[in-house]
Amino acid sequence: QVQLVESGGGLVQAGGSLRLSCAASGRTFRSYAMGWFRQGPGKEREFVAAISWSGGSTYYADSVKGRFTISRDNAKNTVYMQMNSLKPEDTAVYYCAASKSRLWTLVGEYDYWGQGTQVTVSS
């Protein structure tokens, strides 16, 4: 079992930055790839970024590439996402999730989810 708790969301102006954190419980955290997803108002949940269990591989949605950076600290059981140059269209609830699959972009390939943290970007 892995329990995930996100934090770091908030209200920011366009062009600003936020860093999201996702704290995981359980000794098996380091065996999971971790992903960030988001769900805007009236939209489906979409993939944002993912990182391998070791942190050696990352993958990003085209919409955030070059602006967002995912990282992890296995000693702290935490995954992060640094979000820079935020845009109003980044407004959403952001979720972290854990997966043992290599199909990182698919919602159904994740075993555990956090409760989400709201990010609101004003224009």
Side-chain angles (χ1 to χ4, degrees):
Q1 285 280 348
V2 177
Q3 293 184 324
L4 305 171
V5 179
E6 301 96 335
S7 61
L11 174 63
V12 63
Q13 289 188 334
S17 299
L18 285 173
R19 188 175 85 151
L20 304 184
S21 299
C22 173
S25 65
R27 292 177 292 178
T28 60
F29 169 76
R30 62 190 63 200
S31 68
Y32 286 85
M34 298 297 295
W36 285 98
F37 288 74
R38 66 187 181 187
Q39 188 165 14
K43 297 183 180 179
E44 294 187 352
R45 193 168 298 190
E46 65 174 0
F47 170 78
V48 177
I51 189 167
S52 63
W53 67 270
S54 67
S57 297
T58 57
Y59 187 71
Y60 297 92
D62 287 343
S63 58
V64 306
K65 201 172 294 182
R67 300 188 297 123
F68 292 10
T69 303
I70 189 172
S71 61
R72 67 189 295 162
D73 185 339
N74 285 343
K76 295 183 178 180
N77 277 14
T78 302
V79 62
Y80 305 97
M81 188 159 71
Q82 178 67 41
M83 306 188 296
N84 298 329
S85 302
L86 283 161
K87 305 175 181 179
E89 51 263 43
D90 294 318
T91 295
V93 177
Y94 283 71
Y95 299 89
C96 69
S99 174
K100 288 199 170 183
S101 167
R102 293 185 178 183
L103 301 176
W104 292 350
T105 65
L106 302 180
V107 169
E109 294 294 318
Y110 286 78
D111 303 303
Y112 302 101
W113 292 83
Q115 83 290 347
T117 186
Q118 177 71 47
V119 171
T120 303
V121 184
S122 63
S123 56

